[in-house]
């Protein structure tokens, strides 16, 4: 493997919950400025993978390094410094329901003490505008927004502190096709133009093709295929073909329990 | 499972839980004394515990004082010792009933709401989101609640002591026909700094227990609405049991010399 500088480098990552093995020796690299999309079936451990990288879950074994710094087992101070480079869009939004929208977006800016409240509010407005929300929603609480609007607020919050690496956990699920495309464009703008590295997770192949430079497929706890987005249709792997064409029959058997 | 295995399993599980709670408490208290401090969050908790619990604690205290006067009067009149009513009311309220009942009421009110709030934040990933936004959830959510429990419960108990003794006075004077001046004199004669202070120390410990159980069960809850419900129940039940347990331990420490 070439010694291209990697933003994120994961080796032999393992994570089980009780007897259930979720990640089983996973290797993955993400280059600087790259937009990597991880695809895979429901429940294959995509969210678990992100949470291990973010330090929200402790892996059972393996190594994760960010900008060449090992983060598994790092001290909490080192962890804080690394988390400062991150922005995360949670699958369920995870907006703070006790705070108005603008404070949600400005939370990271206020937490690091970088900005005063007034400046943070202005910055939050700018990020909200970037995701297509007007100033009229700034004072509302998350519970008063539609699901799609919540997603956009969560996106604004993830990018508010201008992170170096952004993690998107299913950015387009639950949105109408047009809104989904708006979000895709936004992600492309953030990653391609601002040079931010992005690790995204999705089942939505249209979205994956649009936002990715590279695609990796997670299956049974391992990355079974990774390559440039242009090669996805000629991967030569039946499991990848089955997934991208959404066929029920093929080597991947969905466990359906009555 | 065989009975011995079962007992062993339960004991091990209990010890493991105690260990986890002690570690959680240590981490939480550590964050109370290390910056950054979240004063807004602390202020909200101080008001929530100290101010909004006043009606509940006050009502509990006044009826307790009233019933104490009535019970001890009917009981003591068998030995013609009615004169001890003021004494009994003061000593029982300040030493025992003020802190214990305030603790139990606050456990129902505050412990439950802490567990529900933090538990909901846990299962909706808001706690995880805090971490990704450079905020330590132990510092923002747990530390202010521990400080507020520790400091506000003694204040509530001072109020409860006063209202409880006043409740006893009402019943003694207006129902049992005591002379107000004599009753008050009896009250002040019975009032001991040691009793009040021991009650306030107990209150602090109980406040910490309530906050700790609320935060711990909320923080470790999992699995959606049902998990949050279980966390709430566990927070209230475990604080109630721990309050009664520590009440005995502290009484032993203070008074068995
Ligand atoms: N905290 C946890 N405790 C126990 N099991 C967990 C936990 N988190 C995830 N799992 C299990 O790990 C597996 C992978 O979960 P994960 O959320 O990563 O799936 P996913 O690939 O993100 O799926 P989806 O596309 O539906 O979001 C699931 O089977 C889930 O039951
Ligand atoms: Mg997921």
């Amino acid at each position: 493997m070439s010694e291209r500088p990697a933003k994120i480098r994961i080796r032999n990552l393992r994570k089980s919950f009780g007897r259930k093995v979720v990640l089983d020796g996973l290797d993955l690299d993400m280059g600087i400025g790259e937009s990597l999309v991880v695809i895979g079936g429901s429940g294959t451990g995509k969210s678990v993978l992100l949470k291990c990288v973010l330090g929200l879950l402790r892996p059972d074994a393996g190594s994760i390094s960010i900008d060449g710094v090992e983060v598994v087992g790092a001290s909490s101070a080192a962890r804080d410094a690394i988390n400062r480079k991150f922005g995360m869009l949670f699958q369920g939004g995870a907006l703070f329901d006790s705070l108005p929208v603008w404070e949600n977006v400005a939370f990271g800016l206020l937490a690091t003490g970088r900005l005063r409240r007034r400046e943070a509010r202005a910055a939050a407005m700018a990020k909200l505008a970037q995701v297509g929300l007007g100033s009229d929603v700034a004072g509302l609480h998350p519970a008063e927004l539609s699901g799609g609007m919540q997603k956009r607020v969560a996106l604004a919050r993830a990018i508010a502190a201008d992170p170096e690496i952004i993690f998107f956990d299913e950015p387009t699920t639950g949105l109408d096709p047009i809104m989904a495309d708006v979000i895709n464009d936004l992600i492309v703008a953030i990653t391609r133009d601002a040079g931010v590295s992005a690790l995204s997770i999705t089942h939505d192949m249209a979205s994956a093709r649009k936002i990715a430079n590279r695609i990796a497929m997670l299956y049974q706890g391992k990355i079974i295929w990774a390559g440039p987005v242009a090669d996805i249709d000629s991967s030569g792997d039946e499991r990848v073909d089955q997934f991208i064409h959404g066929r029920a029959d093929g080597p991947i058997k969905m466990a359906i329990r009555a | 499972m065989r009975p011995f295995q079962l007992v062993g399993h339960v004991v091990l599980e209990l010890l493991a839980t105690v260990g986890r709670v002690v570690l959680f408490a240590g981490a939480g208290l550590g964050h109370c004394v290390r910056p950054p401090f979240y004063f807004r969050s602390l202020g909200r908790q101080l008001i929530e515990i100290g101010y909004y619990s006043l009606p509940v604690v006050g009502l509990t205290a006044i009826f307790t004082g009233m019933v104490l006067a009535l019970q001890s009067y009917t009981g003591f009149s068998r030995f013609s010792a009615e004169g001890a009513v003021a004494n009994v009311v003061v000593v029982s309220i300040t030493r025992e009933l003020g802190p214990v009942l305030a603790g139990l009421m606050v456990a129902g009110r505050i412990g439950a709401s802490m567990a529900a709030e933090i538990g909901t934040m846990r299962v909706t990933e808001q706690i995880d989101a805090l971490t990704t936004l450079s905020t330590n959830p132990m510092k923002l959510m747990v530390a202010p609640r521990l400080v507020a429990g520790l400091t506000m419960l003694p204040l509530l108990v001072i109020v409860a002591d006063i209202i409880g003794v006043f409740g006893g006075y009402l019943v003694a004077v207006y129902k049992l026909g005591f002379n107000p001046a004599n009753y008050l004199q009896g009250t002040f004669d019975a009032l001991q700094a040691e009793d009040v202070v021991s009650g306030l120390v107990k209150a602090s410990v109980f406040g910490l227990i309530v906050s700790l159980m609320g935060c711990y069960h909320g923080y470790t809850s999992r699995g959606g609405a049902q998990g949050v419900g279980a966390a709430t129940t566990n927070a209230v039940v475990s604080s109630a049991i721990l309050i009664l347990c520590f009440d005995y331990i502290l009484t032993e420490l203070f008074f068995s010399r």
Side-chain angles (χ1 to χ4, degrees), chain A residues 17 20 22 40-49 57 91 169-170 203, chain B residues 222:
Chain A
F17 294 102
K20 183 179 174 65
V22 178
S42 223
T44 47
K46 303 184 298 298
S47 296
V48 169
L49 168 64
L57 287 174
Q91 191 167 358
D169 195 345
E170 312 215 353
H203 318 119
Chain B
R222 54 184 69 237

Coordinates of all heavy atoms in Angstrom, one line a residue, chain A residues 17 20 22 40-49 57 91 169-170 203, chain B residues 222, ligand 1:
Chain A
F17 N -21.0 -6.5 20.4 CA -21.9 -6.3 21.5 C -22.3 -7.6 22.1 O -23.1 -8.3 21.4 CB -23.1 -5.5 21.1 CG -22.8 -4.1 20.6 CD1 -22.7 -3.8 19.3 CD2 -22.5 -3.1 21.5 CE1 -22.4 -2.5 18.8 CE2 -22.1 -1.8 21.1 CZ -22.1 -1.5 19.8
K20 N -22.7 -10.7 19.7 CA -22.9 -10.2 18.4 C -21.7 -9.5 17.8 O -21.4 -8.4 18.3 CB -24.1 -9.3 18.3 CG -24.5 -8.9 17.0 CD -25.8 -8.0 17.0 CE -26.1 -7.4 15.7 NZ -26.4 -8.4 14.7
V22 N -20.0 -7.1 15.4 CA -20.5 -6.1 14.4 C -19.4 -5.8 13.4 O -19.5 -5.9 12.2 CB -21.0 -4.9 15.1 CG1 -21.4 -3.8 14.1 CG2 -22.2 -5.3 16.0
G40 N -23.7 -0.1 2.6 CA -23.9 -1.4 3.3 C -25.3 -1.5 3.8 O -26.0 -0.5 4.0
G41 N -25.7 -2.8 4.0 CA -27.1 -3.0 4.4 C -27.4 -2.5 5.8 O -26.5 -2.1 6.5
S42 N -28.7 -2.5 6.1 CA -29.2 -2.0 7.4 C -28.6 -2.9 8.5 O -28.7 -4.2 8.3 CB -30.7 -2.0 7.4 OG -31.2 -0.9 8.0
G43 N -28.1 -2.4 9.5 CA -27.6 -3.2 10.6 C -26.3 -3.8 10.4 O -25.9 -4.7 11.2
T44 N -25.5 -3.4 9.4 CA -24.2 -4.0 9.2 C -23.1 -3.3 10.0 O -22.0 -3.8 10.0 CB -23.8 -3.9 7.7 OG1 -24.0 -2.6 7.2 CG2 -24.6 -4.9 6.8
G45 N -23.5 -2.3 10.7 CA -22.5 -1.7 11.6 C -21.9 -0.4 11.1 O -20.8 0.0 11.5
K46 N -22.6 0.3 10.1 CA -22.1 1.5 9.6 C -22.0 2.6 10.7 O -21.0 3.3 10.8 CB -22.9 2.0 8.4 CG -23.0 0.9 7.3 CD -23.7 1.4 6.1 CE -25.2 1.8 6.3 NZ -26.0 0.7 6.8
S47 N -23.1 2.7 11.4 CA -23.1 3.8 12.5 C -22.1 3.4 13.6 O -21.5 4.3 14.1 CB -24.5 3.9 13.1 OG -25.5 4.3 12.1
V48 N -22.0 2.1 13.9 CA -21.0 1.7 14.9 C -19.6 2.1 14.4 O -18.8 2.6 15.2 CB -21.1 0.2 15.1 CG1 -20.0 -0.3 16.0 CG2 -22.5 -0.2 15.8
L49 N -19.3 1.9 13.2 CA -18.0 2.3 12.6 C -17.7 3.8 12.9 O -16.7 4.2 13.4 CB -18.0 2.0 11.1 CG -16.8 2.6 10.3 CD1 -15.5 2.0 10.8 CD2 -17.0 2.3 8.9
L57 N -17.8 5.1 20.9 CA -17.8 3.7 21.3 C -16.3 3.3 21.4 O -15.5 3.8 20.6 CB -18.5 2.8 20.3 CG -20.0 2.8 20.2 CD1 -20.5 2.0 19.1 CD2 -20.6 2.3 21.5
Q91 N -27.5 10.2 12.6 CA -28.6 9.6 11.8 C -30.0 10.2 12.2 O -30.8 10.5 11.4 CB -28.6 8.1 12.0 CG -29.5 7.4 11.0 CD -29.2 5.9 11.0 OE1 -28.3 5.4 11.6 NE2 -29.9 5.1 10.2
D169 N -24.0 10.7 8.8 CA -24.7 9.4 8.9 C -26.1 9.5 8.2 O -27.0 10.1 8.8 CB -24.8 9.0 10.4 CG -25.2 7.5 10.6 OD1 -25.6 6.9 9.6 OD2 -25.0 7.0 11.7
E170 N -26.2 9.0 7.1 CA -27.4 9.0 6.3 C -28.0 10.4 6.1 O -29.1 10.7 6.6 CB -28.4 8.0 6.9 CG -27.7 6.7 7.2 CD -28.6 5.5 7.0 OE1 -29.8 5.7 6.7 OE2 -28.1 4.4 7.1
H203 N -27.5 4.5 2.3 CA -28.0 3.4 1.5 C -28.4 3.9 0.1 O -28.8 3.1 -0.7 CB -29.3 2.7 2.0 CG -29.4 2.5 3.4 ND1 -30.4 3.0 4.2 CD2 -28.6 1.7 4.2 CE1 -30.2 2.6 5.4 NE2 -29.2 1.8 5.5
Chain B
R222 N -30.7 2.9 28.1 CA -30.6 2.5 26.7 C -31.9 2.0 26.3 O -32.8 1.6 27.0 CB -29.5 1.5 26.6 CG -29.7 0.3 27.5 CD -28.5 -0.7 27.4 NE -27.3 -0.1 27.9 CZ -26.1 0.1 27.2 NH1 -26.1 -0.3 26.0 NH2 -25.1 0.6 27.8
Ligands
LIG1 N1 -25.1 0.3 21.8 C1 -25.4 -0.9 21.2 N2 -25.6 -1.9 22.0 C2 -25.8 -3.1 21.4 N3 -25.9 -3.4 20.1 C3 -25.7 -2.4 19.3 C4 -25.4 -1.0 19.8 N4 -25.3 -0.2 18.7 C5 -25.5 -1.0 17.6 N5 -25.7 -2.3 18.0 C6 -25.9 -3.4 17.0 O1 -24.9 -3.3 16.0 C7 -25.5 -3.6 14.8 C8 -25.1 -2.5 13.8 O2 -25.8 -1.3 14.1 P1 -25.6 0.0 13.3 O3 -26.4 1.0 14.0 O4 -24.2 0.3 13.2 O5 -26.2 -0.4 11.9 P2 -26.2 0.5 10.6 O6 -25.3 -0.2 9.6 O7 -25.9 1.9 10.9 O8 -27.7 0.3 10.1 P3 -28.7 1.4 9.5 O9 -28.4 1.6 8.1 O10 -30.0 0.8 9.7 O11 -28.5 2.6 10.3 C9 -27.0 -3.7 14.9 O12 -27.3 -5.1 14.8 C10 -27.3 -3.3 16.3 O13 -28.2 -4.1 16.9

